[in-house]
Amino acid sequence: MIRAQTVVARTPSALLASLDRFHLQSKAKGSTLLFALSAPSDALSVITSHLKSHFPRHIGCLSSPLPAYRSHIMCAVALLDGITFRSTITGPADPQVGRWHAARRSSTQQLPVAQSNVFEEFNGVLGRVSWEDIWNRSATSAQKMMPVELRMARPEDVSSILYFSDKAPEGFAKALKATFPHAHEAGFLASSTPFITGRPVTLFHDGEIYSDGAIGIALQPSLSHTSLTVKFPGLVDLTPDLQITSSEGNLILTVDNGNPTRVLLAAMNKHRLDGCDVLLKDDEFYIGVMSDGKVERLHRITSGDPSRGTISLGTMSAPPQGSIIRVGPWTSE
């Protein structure tokens, strides 16, 4: 990131003056402007035109104001170097009711339904469906639908991906995961704007305005020695390191070839018996994915089934087989 700033102003002229200063202080030429704008409808045209004139390369969206600044105009801006793209991959379609919905035309494309030929996979009564092959075919189809800019990029040359999306990002998120499995991803849902611009959402990309899909930027690995340390104060380890031996979707099926829910319950009982007062009713339990002995990322546990053993996580994709994890609550201490 070259430069970032959030501007809060009472009038359009004050916001434009701040954006002018941001432009003058930004020495990097050819970079892409990333912005999220919250402004009244009568000021949108002049502000967006101003942004486009200063930064021909840009991606952005209309967003909701912060609760404390609803009467103000806000614009968060950042200058980045990377590969910009526009995706037309979408997720599940919303139910459509009424003439307004029926008349709408979308520029997005649905991912192929991987399960459409499931029953053709059976070979007689004893036949079995190869779900792994089916999901792999779906991932391959998703990769073919990726924006050409991302298809031309090598996975090892992309470290992070930032994008603004409509209300159905599932298809694009799935395609990103299949194409760039090791890249960090941050997706932001654009605010609903039917009463502001007449569009479900309003996305900006290099002078064009879109009502659906996603726009974003892929960042390359930093050549500097910048380091990032992430700490999770209040996270208590209940278990030693455990290895995920099978997972599917957002479910952890087995850890150390055993029942993951029973492992968690046993750890909870052990700590209660030891008199460790860390398990409170309001605690939320998390799976911590380990890397070099430290927690790299967290997934919240949403449910567990002692009989089946599965643990459900609040994420679209559980850590893959072979991942090392620890389980514990997040306390207020």
Side-chain angles (χ1 to χ4, degrees), residues 91 109 132 137 146 176 183 203 212 225 242 247 257 286 332:
Q109 49 186 338
E132 184 174 355
R137 288 203 299 270
M146 289 288 282
L176 277 182
L203 305 172
D212 49 27
H225 297 286
L242 304 170
S247 64
N257 293 311
Y286 289 82
S332 58

Side-chain angles (χ1 to χ4, degrees), residues 83 85 146 150 155 158-164 172 175-177 179-181 183-188 215-220:
I83 305 168
F85 59 85
M146 289 288 282
L150 295 183
V158 175
S159 62
S160 303
I161 299 174
L162 307 176
Y163 63 92
F164 296 123
F172 180 58
L176 277 182
K177 191 69 175 178
T179 309
F180 302 99
H184 301 286
E185 304 160 16
F188 303 88
I215 54 172
I217 184 169
L219 307 179
Q220 296 179 330

